[in-house]
Amino acid sequence: MARFAANLTFLFTELPMLERFAAARRAGFDGVEVLFPYDLAAKDLAAACQAAGLEFVLLNTPPPNWSGGPRGFAATPGGEDRFRRDFDRSLRFAQALRSRHLHVMAGKAEGPTALRTLVDNLKWACERAPHASLLIEPINPHDMPGYFVSSCDIAAEVIDKVGAPNLGMQFDAYHAHLITGDLVTAWETHLPHIRHIQIAGAPGRHEPRVGDIDYGDFFRRVDSAGYRGWVSAEYVPLTTTEAGLRWLRGGAAA
């Protein structure tokens, strides 16, 4: 059975960040992720996570925070030095937080040169951090126009070209649904590459019980596939976080 984590960048935003850890635990989550935690000291984040009895599941590279700057440089030709400096900083954060995964954001780019750049940068990163679990994520073009990893097929191609055991796919069901229109086929096709799952209703990116995706069916397929990783809730609550958690307590169809 998969374990559920709360994305604290999206959930419990009624509270200051360091108070969201305990709130997530009280709500029934076993883990957390924070997209860009760099505005706070890693030791303070780690202490809040440990005090709440949670596992820190994932953070993104590069810094700085979500509110400004490009969404990564890993696929940007000529940006190799920037990528590598950012990666080292993010890796130090991930190690301090004992994070299960580190999501490497590709950024906006296109063409074969960008593909080679991304593959080369990821090969370097995988060798640099052989014991870290690194992820890349397909992100739909509507939400992030121009993002290089814009489909599960591109992500799978990159992972195969890198050929490192510590690189996998971050499979966001919301993005996969919007990209393909067929979440089940995307899941079944790319299961060998998938290391981490995120969920949200689609369209709208609200609670998993809102929208077109049948999460009851999806969760059954995840369980039957023997997936033992994390499923992270990364959505924008319709009202308050607490008011929208029936999906967690009673299933996606509740």
Side-chain angles (χ1 to χ4, degrees):
M1 180 92 179
R3 294 175 291 172
F4 288 98
N7 185 303
L8 298 185
T9 304
F10 281 76
L11 301 185
F12 303 103
T13 57
E14 305 89 353
L15 301 170
M17 176 58 76
L18 294 179
E19 295 180 21
R20 297 176 198 176
F21 292 86
R25 186 59 170 171
R26 289 193 299 270
F29 291 101
D30 295 314
V32 293
E33 59 183 35
V34 180
L35 298 185
F36 296 98
Y38 306 101
D39 285 347
L40 296 171
K43 63 180 179 61
D44 293 337
L45 291 161
C49 190
Q50 183 177 5
L54 296 165
E55 180 172 336
F56 205 103
V57 176
L58 178 141
L59 69 153
N60 288 355
T61 180
N65 63 31
W66 181 254
S67 62
R71 299 295 187 252
F73 299 92
T76 304
E80 291 84 355
D81 289 343
R82 170 72 184 269
F83 166 75
R84 294 178 185 196
R85 288 195 305 270
D86 285 345
F87 179 82
D88 280 345
R89 183 183 175 195
S90 296
L91 182 62
R92 290 194 295 270
F93 246 81
Q95 290 170 335
L97 295 169
R98 299 183 180 179
S99 181
R100 173 69 62 91
H101 302 295
L102 181 57
H103 170 210
V104 179
M105 297 199 74
K108 293 184 177 182
E110 61 181 354
T113 303
L115 176 60
R116 288 195 297 272
T117 300
L118 179 57
V119 169
D120 288 347
N121 277 331
L122 288 171
K123 284 182 177 179
W124 174 89
C126 288
E127 292 175 0
R128 182 84 166 173
H131 302 299
S133 173
L134 307 183
L135 305 176
I136 56 174
E137 177 188 21
I139 299 178
N140 81 81
H142 175 75
D143 284 10
M144 202 173 291
Y147 191 75
F148 184 77
V149 185
S150 57
S151 74
C152 296
D153 290 340
I154 292 174
E157 178 185 3
V158 170
I159 291 167
D160 288 341
K161 285 182 179 294
V162 173
N166 57 327
L167 179 65
M169 186 184 299
Q170 181 172 318
F171 185 84
D172 189 313
Y174 162 81
H175 287 302
H177 175 78
L178 293 183
I179 292 167
T180 69
D182 188 349
L183 174 61
V184 170
T185 297
W187 161 255
E188 293 177 347
T189 300
H190 297 288
L191 180 58
H193 291 113
I194 294 170
R195 303 277 179 84
H196 182 59
I197 296 171
Q198 292 173 326
I199 57 171
R205 204 170 191 173
H206 298 303
E207 283 82 353
R209 61 186 177 84
V210 179
D212 300 334
I213 298 175
D214 182 349
Y215 273 107
D217 175 70
F218 180 66
F219 291 156
R220 287 189 289 273
R221 291 176 185 274
V222 168
D223 285 343
S224 66
Y227 176 79
R228 294 294 179 266
W230 288 92
V231 176
S232 288
E234 188 190 57
Y235 62 82
V236 179
L238 283 168
T239 57
T240 67
T241 302
E242 186 68 26
L245 287 177
R246 284 188 297 159
W247 69 268
L248 177 64
R249 293 162 182 159

mmCIF file of all heavy atoms in Angstrom, residues 161-180:
data_model
loop_
_atom_site.group_PDB
_atom_site.id
_atom_site.type_symbol
_atom_site.label_atom_id
_atom_site.label_comp_id
_atom_site.label_asym_id
_atom_site.label_seq_id
_atom_site.Cartn_x
_atom_site.Cartn_y
_atom_site.Cartn_z
ATOM 1 N N LYS A 161 18.475 7.363 -21.770
ATOM 2 C CA LYS A 161 19.755 7.861 -22.290
ATOM 3 C C LYS A 161 20.765 8.066 -21.163
ATOM 4 O O LYS A 161 21.962 7.816 -21.341
ATOM 5 C CB LYS A 161 19.541 9.169 -23.059
ATOM 6 C CG LYS A 161 18.910 9.002 -24.433
ATOM 7 C CD LYS A 161 18.769 10.326 -25.146
ATOM 8 C CE LYS A 161 18.159 10.184 -26.533
ATOM 9 N NZ LYS A 161 19.038 9.446 -27.474
ATOM 10 N N VAL A 162 20.297 8.519 -20.019
ATOM 11 C CA VAL A 162 21.206 8.698 -18.884
ATOM 12 C C VAL A 162 21.678 7.343 -18.370
ATOM 13 O O VAL A 162 22.856 7.145 -18.067
ATOM 14 C CB VAL A 162 20.523 9.509 -17.773
ATOM 15 C CG1 VAL A 162 21.394 9.551 -16.512
ATOM 16 C CG2 VAL A 162 20.217 10.925 -18.256
ATOM 17 N N GLY A 163 20.749 6.399 -18.251
ATOM 18 C CA GLY A 163 21.105 5.037 -17.897
ATOM 19 C C GLY A 163 21.675 4.870 -16.503
ATOM 20 O O GLY A 163 22.502 3.983 -16.268
ATOM 21 N N ALA A 164 21.238 5.707 -15.568
ATOM 22 C CA ALA A 164 21.748 5.630 -14.190
ATOM 23 C C ALA A 164 20.686 5.023 -13.285
ATOM 24 O O ALA A 164 19.510 5.366 -13.386
ATOM 25 C CB ALA A 164 22.139 7.019 -13.697
ATOM 26 N N PRO A 165 21.077 4.155 -12.362
ATOM 27 C CA PRO A 165 20.086 3.506 -11.503
ATOM 28 C C PRO A 165 19.420 4.447 -10.510
ATOM 29 O O PRO A 165 18.363 4.107 -9.970
ATOM 30 C CB PRO A 165 20.901 2.433 -10.769
ATOM 31 C CG PRO A 165 22.310 2.932 -10.817
ATOM 32 C CD PRO A 165 22.440 3.661 -12.120
ATOM 33 N N ASN A 166 19.997 5.603 -10.272
ATOM 34 C CA ASN A 166 19.430 6.530 -9.287
ATOM 35 C C ASN A 166 18.627 7.661 -9.938
ATOM 36 O O ASN A 166 18.370 8.678 -9.304
ATOM 37 C CB ASN A 166 20.512 7.102 -8.378
ATOM 38 C CG ASN A 166 21.623 7.819 -9.123
ATOM 39 O OD1 ASN A 166 21.963 7.442 -10.244
ATOM 40 N ND2 ASN A 166 22.198 8.835 -8.505
ATOM 41 N N LEU A 167 18.200 7.477 -11.188
ATOM 42 C CA LEU A 167 17.336 8.447 -11.868
ATOM 43 C C LEU A 167 16.019 7.791 -12.230
ATOM 44 O O LEU A 167 15.998 6.696 -12.805
ATOM 45 C CB LEU A 167 18.001 8.977 -13.134
ATOM 46 C CG LEU A 167 17.172 9.991 -13.941
ATOM 47 C CD1 LEU A 167 16.948 11.288 -13.163
ATOM 48 C CD2 LEU A 167 17.852 10.294 -15.290
ATOM 49 N N GLY A 168 14.906 8.453 -11.883
ATOM 50 C CA GLY A 168 13.591 7.920 -12.203
ATOM 51 C C GLY A 168 12.620 9.022 -12.548
ATOM 52 O O GLY A 168 12.973 10.198 -12.648
ATOM 53 N N MET A 169 11.354 8.617 -12.714
ATOM 54 C CA MET A 169 10.303 9.545 -13.130
ATOM 55 C C MET A 169 9.414 9.919 -11.958
ATOM 56 O O MET A 169 8.995 9.068 -11.175
ATOM 57 C CB MET A 169 9.434 8.927 -14.228
ATOM 58 C CG MET A 169 8.398 9.891 -14.819
ATOM 59 S SD MET A 169 7.272 9.120 -16.040
ATOM 60 C CE MET A 169 8.438 8.587 -17.295
ATOM 61 N N GLN A 170 9.146 11.204 -11.844
ATOM 62 C CA GLN A 170 8.135 11.726 -10.934
ATOM 63 C C GLN A 170 6.839 11.816 -11.733
ATOM 64 O O GLN A 170 6.721 12.618 -12.653
ATOM 65 C CB GLN A 170 8.573 13.101 -10.431
ATOM 66 C CG GLN A 170 7.628 13.767 -9.458
ATOM 67 C CD GLN A 170 8.262 15.026 -8.887
ATOM 68 O OE1 GLN A 170 9.446 15.038 -8.547
ATOM 69 N NE2 GLN A 170 7.493 16.090 -8.792
ATOM 70 N N PHE A 171 5.871 10.988 -11.384
ATOM 71 C CA PHE A 171 4.654 10.834 -12.172
ATOM 72 C C PHE A 171 3.520 11.576 -11.488
ATOM 73 O O PHE A 171 2.947 11.093 -10.505
ATOM 74 C CB PHE A 171 4.313 9.347 -12.314
ATOM 75 C CG PHE A 171 3.142 9.046 -13.200
ATOM 76 C CD1 PHE A 171 3.290 8.942 -14.571
ATOM 77 C CD2 PHE A 171 1.866 8.837 -12.658
ATOM 78 C CE1 PHE A 171 2.212 8.646 -15.387
ATOM 79 C CE2 PHE A 171 0.781 8.551 -13.464
ATOM 80 C CZ PHE A 171 0.957 8.451 -14.830
ATOM 81 N N ASP A 172 3.218 12.755 -11.988
ATOM 82 C CA ASP A 172 2.099 13.541 -11.469
ATOM 83 C C ASP A 172 0.859 13.172 -12.281
ATOM 84 O O ASP A 172 0.788 13.452 -13.488
ATOM 85 C CB ASP A 172 2.422 15.028 -11.597
ATOM 86 C CG ASP A 172 1.408 15.915 -10.896
ATOM 87 O OD1 ASP A 172 0.195 15.678 -11.090
ATOM 88 O OD2 ASP A 172 1.806 16.846 -10.180
ATOM 89 N N ALA A 173 -0.115 12.570 -11.625
ATOM 90 C CA ALA A 173 -1.308 12.096 -12.339
ATOM 91 C C ALA A 173 -2.070 13.248 -12.978
ATOM 92 O O ALA A 173 -2.657 13.087 -14.060
ATOM 93 C CB ALA A 173 -2.212 11.326 -11.382
ATOM 94 N N TYR A 174 -2.064 14.390 -12.335
ATOM 95 C CA TYR A 174 -2.716 15.574 -12.907
ATOM 96 C C TYR A 174 -2.065 15.950 -14.233
ATOM 97 O O TYR A 174 -2.741 16.134 -15.255
ATOM 98 C CB TYR A 174 -2.615 16.721 -11.897
ATOM 99 C CG TYR A 174 -2.851 18.096 -12.448
ATOM 100 C CD1 TYR A 174 -4.138 18.584 -12.658
ATOM 101 C CD2 TYR A 174 -1.770 18.933 -12.751
ATOM 102 C CE1 TYR A 174 -4.340 19.868 -13.157
ATOM 103 C CE2 TYR A 174 -1.970 20.214 -13.240
ATOM 104 C CZ TYR A 174 -3.254 20.669 -13.452
ATOM 105 O OH TYR A 174 -3.451 21.939 -13.954
ATOM 106 N N HIS A 175 -0.740 16.071 -14.241
ATOM 107 C CA HIS A 175 -0.045 16.421 -15.477
ATOM 108 C C HIS A 175 -0.218 15.319 -16.531
ATOM 109 O O HIS A 175 -0.448 15.620 -17.709
ATOM 110 C CB HIS A 175 1.443 16.652 -15.203
ATOM 111 C CG HIS A 175 1.733 17.920 -14.478
ATOM 112 N ND1 HIS A 175 1.370 19.157 -14.958
ATOM 113 C CD2 HIS A 175 2.364 18.154 -13.295
ATOM 114 C CE1 HIS A 175 1.765 20.098 -14.116
ATOM 115 N NE2 HIS A 175 2.368 19.510 -13.091
ATOM 116 N N ALA A 176 -0.070 14.063 -16.125
ATOM 117 C CA ALA A 176 -0.188 12.961 -17.086
ATOM 118 C C ALA A 176 -1.563 12.941 -17.743
ATOM 119 O O ALA A 176 -1.688 12.681 -18.953
ATOM 120 C CB ALA A 176 0.096 11.632 -16.394
ATOM 121 N N HIS A 177 -2.608 13.219 -16.968
ATOM 122 C CA HIS A 177 -3.957 13.252 -17.517
ATOM 123 C C HIS A 177 -4.099 14.372 -18.544
ATOM 124 O O HIS A 177 -4.672 14.174 -19.625
ATOM 125 C CB HIS A 177 -4.973 13.429 -16.391
ATOM 126 C CG HIS A 177 -6.383 13.593 -16.857
ATOM 127 N ND1 HIS A 177 -7.148 12.531 -17.279
ATOM 128 C CD2 HIS A 177 -7.165 14.699 -16.980
ATOM 129 C CE1 HIS A 177 -8.353 12.970 -17.638
ATOM 130 N NE2 HIS A 177 -8.383 14.295 -17.466
ATOM 131 N N LEU A 178 -3.586 15.550 -18.215
ATOM 132 C CA LEU A 178 -3.709 16.675 -19.139
ATOM 133 C C LEU A 178 -2.844 16.496 -20.380
ATOM 134 O O LEU A 178 -3.202 16.947 -21.472
ATOM 135 C CB LEU A 178 -3.355 17.980 -18.433
ATOM 136 C CG LEU A 178 -4.311 18.436 -17.329
ATOM 137 C CD1 LEU A 178 -3.879 19.781 -16.768
ATOM 138 C CD2 LEU A 178 -5.754 18.526 -17.840
ATOM 139 N N ILE A 179 -1.710 15.834 -20.240
ATOM 140 C CA ILE A 179 -0.828 15.610 -21.385
ATOM 141 C C ILE A 179 -1.398 14.560 -22.331
ATOM 142 O O ILE A 179 -1.401 14.743 -23.551
ATOM 143 C CB ILE A 179 0.577 15.176 -20.908
ATOM 144 C CG1 ILE A 179 1.286 16.330 -20.197
ATOM 145 C CG2 ILE A 179 1.428 14.683 -22.073
ATOM 146 C CD1 ILE A 179 2.530 15.903 -19.438
ATOM 147 N N THR A 180 -1.893 13.463 -21.770
ATOM 148 C CA THR A 180 -2.257 12.311 -22.604
ATOM 149 C C THR A 180 -3.753 12.102 -22.770
ATOM 150 O O THR A 180 -4.183 11.470 -23.750
ATOM 151 C CB THR A 180 -1.667 11.018 -22.011
ATOM 152 O OG1 THR A 180 -2.338 10.722 -20.769
ATOM 153 C CG2 THR A 180 -0.176 11.158 -21.757
#
